[in-house]
């Protein structure tokens, strides 16, 4: 039976008010069920600090690296496929090595350029984007379909859901909307409209043969964004079709969440990027339609992910290969409840980022801080771990432990032991780049009479609010310091609220306004500072930054009797370059009473706070290939232990690393 969500039929036909003036990272100004609206891209500037530095790394190093990699025949994503398809070059292209999802990664690189351009207004980027877009236009087929790998490999359209046609075209739609907003031009947007019209013709009849189509369904987010950008309700209907068709006929698999209709699903299953793109896209659909069964399903799945299937780093998708509870073969996938191995944690960077994307969208619906916390956890940990400090090499998998090169962690071709500039599967580098380039669009938001601060970084904000402009300067060295100073640069005439996310870990947080005594703030919620503001008003937020020793639910066997260390949102790790000579990372055990000294190391790993303490060392004996033996007690001693942020691991050559450490008591 075809399952359809109960939506007033009329809704699909109505062109909802176009968010024409919206120039944010998403055009959600008119979205009826979204509480937190995007600020215009021009409204926010990261002027210094952690994320401004990463933006700069992406602008200076990552962007050129992406294009160089996409011109390297060893790389899975290739811009040359567009050149070859259009007869403009690409002679060196290795079609055999070309991923069918290569186009999507090229579009993500252009999206990154557009986001960088939105900040820098560098005319060279604008010109280069125009040149590339001309090639995209030439590669598009007259009916709107576009996939250069399909053309070059001679594959028939819509015959195999793993051919990633929807992934590619989905990323095209998103990138085109961002490009339109950043430049005001229509050249890319017009290509996207032709794509979407083609998809509408293909999918609107809900052909049974295509019921389960879509792998990594960026097409849902892309269609919604195109709907918001153009106001054409066809594209909203398209997004709903993509969301509803999956699981609507027999023959689906948990691999791409098509065994069960999303509205009936109770758990996160299958390929984690595919899952998270589906959940993020469905959240966008809810933002436009308000369909309660969809939200109820998303809530159930969120509880499952964050309550049973997510790593401390916010990473998801632990399984390399395996089977789902319903016995479907899956890969790069969610495993069973509490099954969170450390060394063989797959945790594809794209899956982690998609978890952040989904949580950012859920935050937008509700303003509930727990979604902001999860998003932030990913950003500081399992997103950044995917990229080297200099922004030029990348990990696809993000394990939480490595015992060293003697136990290879390389299982799939795309999992190099050290980060690499080229990868046989190149989806992650472009995902990292576009997310960092667009982060200013996530950091702040607004609702009726309120400015929301979702992420803390040094920034200037100037946006229309409460009948005027509300402009603020934020200054902080967060996440290294928990002090954030806000100065009001322009105050609107009416009362306005400054909404500050107080993370769940920040118990004891305070805020003071001017000379008023500090007020205690509830952690795990947004603090609302509401008043008529005046230019020059000052707010100081203090988030306690003492290191925390964390334990896992005892069902997580891979972390049982172990602890991890966090400071603010940053997860720490023990890495072999920091351990005293002759000691292995696995020999340390941490007393639960450990006290840490936090030291700023400006020239280490791009500038980090390291944590120093003393730990107990239990020497490991020689195992010589044995698997088990009778325990012989070993004398323990105390040794210094130094920890670095997890995200910065493997930047000093081949190393051993662990996030979870045995507890000493
Ligand atoms: O599906 C295409 C790419 O390969 C995805 O981005 C990864 O998750 C991997 O499946
Ligand atoms: Zn990826």
């Amino acid at each position: 039976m075809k399952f359809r969500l109960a939506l007033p039929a009329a809704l699909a036909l109505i062109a909802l008010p176009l968010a024409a003036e919206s120039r944010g990272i998403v055009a959600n100004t008119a979205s009826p069920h979204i509480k937190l609206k995007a600020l215009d891209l021009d409204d926010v500037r990261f002027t210094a600090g952690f994320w401004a530095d990463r933006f700069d790394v992406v602008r200076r190093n990552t962007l050129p690296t992406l294009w160089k990699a996409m011109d390297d025949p060893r790389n899975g994503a290739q811009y040359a496929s567009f050149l070859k398809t259009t007869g403009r070059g690409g002679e060196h292209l290795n079609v055999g090595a070309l991923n069918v999802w290569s186009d999507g990664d090229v579009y993500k690189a252009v999206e990154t350029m557009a986001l960088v351009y939105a900040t820098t207004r560098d005319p060279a980027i604008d010109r280069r984007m125009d040149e590339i877009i001309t090639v995209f236009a030439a590669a598009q087929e007259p009916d709107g379909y576009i996939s250069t790998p399909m053309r070059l490999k001679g594959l028939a359209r819509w015959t195999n859901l793993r051919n990633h046609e929807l992934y590619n075209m989905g990323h095209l739609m998103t990138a085109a909307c961002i490009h339109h907003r950043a430049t005001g031009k229509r050249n890319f947007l017009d290509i996207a409209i032709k794509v979407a019209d083609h998809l509408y013709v293909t999918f609107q009849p809900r052909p049974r043969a295509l019921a389960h189509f879509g792998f990594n369904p960026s097409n849902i987010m892309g269609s919604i964004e195109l709907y918001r950008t153009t106001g054409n309700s066809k594209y909203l209907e398209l997004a709903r079709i993509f969301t509803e068709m999956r699981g609507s006929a027999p023959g689906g698999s948990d691999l791409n969440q098509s065994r069960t209709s999303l509205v009936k699903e109770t758990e996160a299953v299958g390929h984690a990027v595919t899952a998270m793109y589906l959940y993020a896209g469905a959240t966008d659909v809810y933002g436009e339609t308000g369909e309660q069964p969809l939200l109820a399903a998303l809530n159930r799945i969120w509880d499952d992910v964050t309550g049973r299937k997510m790593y401390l780093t916010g990473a998801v998708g632990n399984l390399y290969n395996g089977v789902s509870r319903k016995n479907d073969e899956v890969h790069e996938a969610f495993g069973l409840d509490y099954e969170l191995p450390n060394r063989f944690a797959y945790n594809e960077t794209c899956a982690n980022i998609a978890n952040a994307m989904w949580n950012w969208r859920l935050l937008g619906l509700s303003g509930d801080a727990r979604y902001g916390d999860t998003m932030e956890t990913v950003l500081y940990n399992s997103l950044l771990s995917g990229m080297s400090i200099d922004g030029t090499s990348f990990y696809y998998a993000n394990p939480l432990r490595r015992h060293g090169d003697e136990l290879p962690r390389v299982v799939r071709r795309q999992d190099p032991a050290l980060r690499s500039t080229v990868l046989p599967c190149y989806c992650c580098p472009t995902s990292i780049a576009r997310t960092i380039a667009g982060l200013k669009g996530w950091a702040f938001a607004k609702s009726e009479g309120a400015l929301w601060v979702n992420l803390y970084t040094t920034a200037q904000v100037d946006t229309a609010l409460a009948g005027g402009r509300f402009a603020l300067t934020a200054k902080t060295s967060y996440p290294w310091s928990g002090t954030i100073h806000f100065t009001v640069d322009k105050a609107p005439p009416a009362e306005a609220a400054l909404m500050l996310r107080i993370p769940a870990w920040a118990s004891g947080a305070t805020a003071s306004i001017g000379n008023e005594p500090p007020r205690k703030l509830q952690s795990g919620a947004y603090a609302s500072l509401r008043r008529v503001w005046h230019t020059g008003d000052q707010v100081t937020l203090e988030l306690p930054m003492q290191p925390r020793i964390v334990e896992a639910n005892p069902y997580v066997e891979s972390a049982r009797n172990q602890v991890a260390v966090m400071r603010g949102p940053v997860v720490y790790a023990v890495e072999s370059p920091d351990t005293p000579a002759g000691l292995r990372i696995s020999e340390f055990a941490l007393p639960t009473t450990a006290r840490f000294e936090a030291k700023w190391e400006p020239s280490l790993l791009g500038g980090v706070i390291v944590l120093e303490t003393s730990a107990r060392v239990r020497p490991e004996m020689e195992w010589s290939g044995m698997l088990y033996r009778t325990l012989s007690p070993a004398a323990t001693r105390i040794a210094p232990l130094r920890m670095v942020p997890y995200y910065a691991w493997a930047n000093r050559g081949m190393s051993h690393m662990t996030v979870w450490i045995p507890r000493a008591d």
Side-chain angles (χ1 to χ4, degrees):
M1 192 183 77
K2 186 186 276 186
F3 182 82
R4 297 189 64 125
L5 293 168
L7 175 73
L11 185 58
L13 305 172
I14 304 168
L16 294 178
L18 174 60
E21 78 289 358
S22 175
R23 297 194 61 242
I25 191 143
V26 290
N28 65 3
T29 309
S31 302
H33 302 280
I34 297 182
K35 182 170 175 182
L36 273 56
K37 311 292 191 190
L39 270 58
D40 288 357
L41 287 167
D42 288 340
D43 286 358
V44 182
R45 286 192 86 78
F46 288 175
T47 45
F50 192 91
W51 289 115
D53 290 350
R54 266 76 196 164
F55 177 89
D56 234 43
V57 163
V58 165
R59 180 180 65 79
R60 277 186 291 109
N61 300 352
T62 312
L63 256 183
T65 302
L66 296 183
W67 288 103
K68 209 165 150 212
M70 292 194 302
D71 193 35
D72 185 321
R74 294 168 302 164
N75 201 51
Q78 292 283 318
Y79 176 56
S81 69
F82 284 94
L83 300 176
K84 198 174 176 83
T85 302
T86 57
R88 288 165 159 80
E91 290 77 17
H92 62 289
L93 179 71
N94 176 357
V95 175
L98 180 70
N99 296 147
V100 281
W101 55 88
S102 167
D103 286 3
D105 300 327
V106 175
Y107 301 138
K108 284 191 276 172
V110 175
E111 182 183 336
T112 308
M113 290 170 88
L115 288 163
V116 169
Y117 176 75
T119 291
T120 63
R121 300 287 163 206
D122 176 352
I125 296 183
D126 191 26
R127 274 197 303 276
R128 183 68 190 132
M129 287 193 292
D130 281 344
E131 285 164 14
I132 295 168
I133 291 164
T134 306
V135 180
F136 291 165
Q140 187 166 36
E141 299 185 31
D143 66 354
Y145 180 93
I146 180 168
S147 168
T148 64
M150 295 291 285
R151 279 266 286 279
L152 295 172
K153 289 173 187 278
L155 299 170
R157 291 180 185 185
W158 310 119
T159 49
N160 180 346
L161 64 88
R162 297 288 297 279
N163 281 343
H164 287 73
E165 292 149 286
L166 289 173
Y167 171 85
N168 291 334
M169 292 188 239
H171 282 305
L172 184 154
M173 291 189 278
T174 299
C177 292
I178 298 278
H179 175 265
H180 172 63
R181 254 166 251 147
T183 63
K185 298 182 183 178
R186 286 196 63 104
N187 46 350
F188 202 1
L189 189 65
D190 286 338
I191 299 173
I193 289 170
K194 276 176 75 180
V195 160
D197 289 344
H198 169 76
L199 295 177
Y200 188 80
V201 168
T202 310
F203 283 87
Q204 195 279 336
R206 298 180 187 241
R208 223 171 154 71
L210 300 185
H212 305 311
F213 247 68
F215 204 80
N216 299 344
S218 51
N219 47 302
I220 307 175
M221 289 179 275
S223 306
I224 287 282
E225 210 40 50
L226 197 63
Y227 159 66
R228 291 171 177 161
T229 305
T230 62
N232 189 336
S233 59
K234 257 168 55 175
Y235 309 142
L236 170 59
E237 189 188 348
L238 189 59
R240 288 182 47 235
I241 291 167
F242 289 139
T243 310
E244 295 167 17
M245 271 180 79
R246 203 114 36 120
S248 65
S253 160
D254 278 338
L255 174 62
N256 75 333
Q257 301 79 36
S258 62
R259 177 170 288 285
T260 306
S261 295
L262 181 58
V263 286
K264 293 186 182 156
E265 189 53 274
T266 55
E267 60 170 340
V269 292
H271 190 283
V273 181
T274 303
M276 285 296 173
Y277 279 14
L278 172 64
Y279 308 150
T283 305
D284 281 348
V285 171
Y286 174 83
E288 304 304 325
T289 65
E291 298 160 61
Q292 286 307 314
L294 203 49
L295 184 61
L298 292 167
N299 285 336
R300 285 194 299 273
I301 294 169
W302 190 87
D303 288 346
D304 182 50
V305 171
T306 57
R308 291 177 283 274
K309 293 179 179 162
M310 190 175 82
Y311 284 86
L312 186 63
T313 56
V316 290
N318 59 294
L319 265 189
Y320 277 68
N321 295 295
V323 287
S324 71
R325 202 201 299 270
K326 291 171 200 141
N327 233 6
D328 289 328
E329 275 186 31
V330 294
H331 63 266
E332 302 172 304
F334 284 102
L336 303 179
D337 298 355
Y338 305 107
E339 185 186 311
L340 296 167
N342 294 313
R343 188 162 65 89
F344 283 101
Y346 200 71
N347 295 347
E348 182 191 339
T349 308
C350 282
N352 310 337
I353 293 174
N355 188 23
M357 291 164 67
W358 182 34
N359 275 279
W360 175 62
R361 285 167 162 78
L362 291 168
L363 172 64
L365 297 185
S366 60
D368 185 334
R370 64 194 175 146
Y371 302 120
D373 286 6
T374 309
M375 163 184 114
E376 181 180 56
T377 301
V378 172
L379 294 175
Y380 282 108
N381 302 293
S382 52
L383 173 143
L384 278 183
S385 59
M387 182 167 82
S388 60
I389 297 295
D390 68 2
T392 62
S393 58
F394 307 93
Y395 268 151
Y396 185 99
N398 294 279
L400 278 73
R401 178 171 296 155
R402 179 167 71 194
H403 290 303
D405 40 0
E406 81 282 16
L407 286 175
R409 60 182 282 270
V410 181
V411 173
R412 287 168 174 265
R413 277 184 327 129
Q414 65 262 32
D415 308 330
L418 287 175
R419 294 182 188 86
S420 177
T421 49
V422 293
L423 290 165
C425 176
Y426 201 64
C427 47
C428 302
T430 49
S431 292
I432 299 170
R434 72 175 181 145
T435 307
I436 293 177
L439 211 52
K440 67 178 188 171
W442 292 16
F444 298 89
K446 58 186 173 182
S447 61
E448 190 68 43
L451 177 64
W452 297 67
V453 188
N454 303 326
L455 296 171
Y456 298 112
T457 195
T458 295
Q460 284 177 341
V461 186
D462 186 344
T463 197
L465 197 81
R469 301 289 299 179
F470 196 12
L472 285 180
T473 298
K475 283 198 178 144
T476 180
S477 55
Y478 189 91
W480 311 126
S481 152
T483 305
I484 303 110
H485 295 290
F486 297 93
T487 305
V488 175
D489 300 321
K490 269 180 230 160
E495 197 178 68
L498 181 59
M499 306 293 292
L500 304 176
R501 183 175 59 86
I502 312 303
W505 49 260
S507 120
T510 60
S512 42
I513 305 180
N515 295 326
E516 294 173 15
R519 60 177 86 169
K520 288 192 182 140
L521 304 174
Q522 166 81 45
S523 61
Y526 276 81
S528 170
L529 309 183
R530 177 175 291 282
R531 59 178 53 205
V532 175
W533 296 93
H534 298 99
T535 302
D537 280 351
Q538 310 256 350
V539 175
T540 301
L541 174 65
E542 295 285 357
L543 302 176
M545 279 288 169
Q546 62 272 24
R548 312 183 305 282
I549 297 181
V550 180
E551 63 181 341
N553 184 309
Y555 283 163
V556 182
E557 292 189 2
S558 51
R560 204 176 170 109
N561 294 325
Q562 297 168 61
V563 289
V565 180
M566 294 186 71
R567 181 174 182 275
V570 178
V571 173
Y572 275 73
V574 180
E575 197 184 11
S576 49
D578 305 304
T579 53
L583 293 185
R584 297 175 55 84
I585 57 159
S586 46
E587 292 177 305
F588 287 91
L590 196 66
T592 51
T593 50
R595 291 273 169 270
F596 296 88
E597 197 183 334
K599 281 195 184 160
W600 172 240
E601 294 276 6
S603 51
L604 180 69
L605 299 166
V608 291
I609 287 227
V610 298
L611 299 179
E612 292 184 349
T613 189
S614 297
R616 186 158 289 282
V617 170
R618 181 177 180 275
E620 266 178 11
M621 305 300 163
E622 180 50 51
W623 276 84
S624 322
M626 278 182 293
L627 192 53
Y628 307 104
R629 67 179 176 206
T630 304
L631 174 76
S632 46
T636 63
R637 63 186 174 91
I638 299 294
L641 179 66
R642 179 179 236 231
M643 301 183 75
V644 293
Y646 163 75
Y647 75 76
W649 87 285
N651 275 280
R652 294 171 287 177
M654 193 65 191
S655 63
H656 303 200
M657 178 279 294
T658 187
V659 167
W660 291 101
I661 312 163
R663 43 188 292 180
D665 44 36

